[in-house]
Amino acid sequence: MRSLMRRTGGGRRSGEYHAVAASRRSGSRTGGASAVAPARDPAPSRLAYKVNRLWLTPAFRSFLRVGLPVVVVAGAVGGYFANPANREAVGDKLTQIQRSVQERPEFMVKLMAVEGATPVVDEAVRQMLPIDFPISSFDLDLEAMRLEITKLDVVEKAELRVRPGGVLEVAITERQPVIVWRHDGILDLLDPTGHRVASLLERKGRSDLPLIAGEGADKAVQEALDLIETARPFGQNLRGLVRVGERRWDVVLASRQRILLPEADPVAALEQVIALDQAQEVMARDLTVVDMRNPLRPTLRLGEPAVEELRRIRAIEFGADD
């Protein structure tokens, strides 16, 4: 009986165990089926992909870092200055700041000093630059002032600068006259380049300078100076040079004699006349013209008394022959 009861009890327990295990297995299968979710696609969405690619673009990233802030700031500034009152206020403030800096004592010019000029030129420069001192150095247009000063014929070069201490220095280099040019009843002083320096009221005002005359003589000043240097043996007898046809020179002597020089190489022709004079004293004779326009055939023109004397001699010779 006991063995039968044990077996029956054991059978019940084992049956219970099997039922519990079966229920657990069925429960786990049911629960596992309900807990498992569908698999997720790892690929990004189309929008996310485009945004990611756009962010990787260097130009877009530079725009976000630099361009976008600049656009925002520019928009804000533009909106502020769109109001005329704001623009006027800012302009007035900037002008006030600028003037406060420019009118500081270290930038003020108190006087002007003209260096290297004669008293007449000094006065002319001061009249051309009527500056009301003191004045800020920022208000001085030195280049425009320099160009204005160089309009004076006597001024060859002008340099302007502001020296420490508030002094406007004007350094003048004057043209040096070397010759007097007579034309149209006017006497002008010329420098070696033929540029006008000043006018003369009378020849004796600069009697130390040689004289040239004629139209276009100012364009051949250097050649005239070479001829005057060559004609030094004539000494005080040399009166001057006359330009003929704007192409050649005549040497005029105080003895009312003329030496007609050729257009080409006039210095050599004049040297030939001087050599002839030193050898035979040609210029001491009664001559009016020595024509060297053709250096191969020099021509002498006698004065009227010499011509009359020559006629008389010839008449005597012809009478003796008769």
Side-chain angles (χ1 to χ4, degrees), residues 15 19 26 69 108 116 128 142 167 171-172 200 217 233 248 260 268 271 278 319:
S26 62
M108 297 302 291
M128 294 182 70
L142 299 183
V167 178
I172 301 294
L200 280 178
R248 67 173 194 85
L260 311 186
E271 289 176 344
Q278 292 175 346

Side-chain angles (χ1 to χ4, degrees), residues 94-235:
L94 291 177
T95 302
Q96 182 180 358
I97 296 174
Q98 180 182 8
R99 295 307 302 176
S100 65
V101 173
Q102 293 178 353
E103 293 180 357
R104 291 178 61 87
E106 57 266 30
F107 297 133
M108 297 302 291
V109 179
K110 304 177 182 64
L111 55 92
M112 179 172 61
V114 181
E115 305 290 341
T118 59
V120 175
V121 178
D122 187 316
E123 183 63 25
V125 169
R126 294 182 184 276
Q127 290 181 1
M128 294 182 70
L129 305 177
I131 303 175
D132 188 13
F133 295 103
I135 185 174
S136 173
S137 59
F138 291 95
D139 295 331
L140 296 175
D141 189 346
L142 299 183
E143 180 61 20
M145 296 166 64
R146 186 190 68 82
L147 294 177
E148 187 69 18
I149 293 174
T150 52
K151 290 181 180 180
L152 294 173
D153 289 330
V154 70
V155 176
E156 180 179 5
K157 184 174 65 175
E159 296 180 355
L160 287 82
R161 69 185 184 96
V162 178
R163 294 190 318 204
V167 178
L168 175 60
E169 179 183 357
V170 182
I172 301 294
T173 302
E174 295 188 10
R175 300 181 186 275
Q176 299 301 320
V178 296
I179 207 164
V180 179
W181 177 35
R182 185 193 299 275
H183 64 103
D184 300 327
I186 302 173
L187 293 174
D188 283 336
L189 296 174
L190 305 180
D191 70 352
T193 65
H195 195 285
R196 179 181 177 276
V197 177
S199 295
L200 280 178
L201 296 178
E202 297 179 350
R203 174 72 177 95
K204 63 181 181 180
R206 290 304 302 266
S207 58
D208 58 312
L209 297 179
L211 177 67
I212 60 176
E215 192 69 25
D218 58 322
K219 300 176 182 177
V221 171
Q222 189 56 54
E223 187 178 56
L225 293 175
D226 294 339
L227 289 172
I228 291 170
E229 181 65 24
T230 304
R232 281 187 178 276
F234 291 130

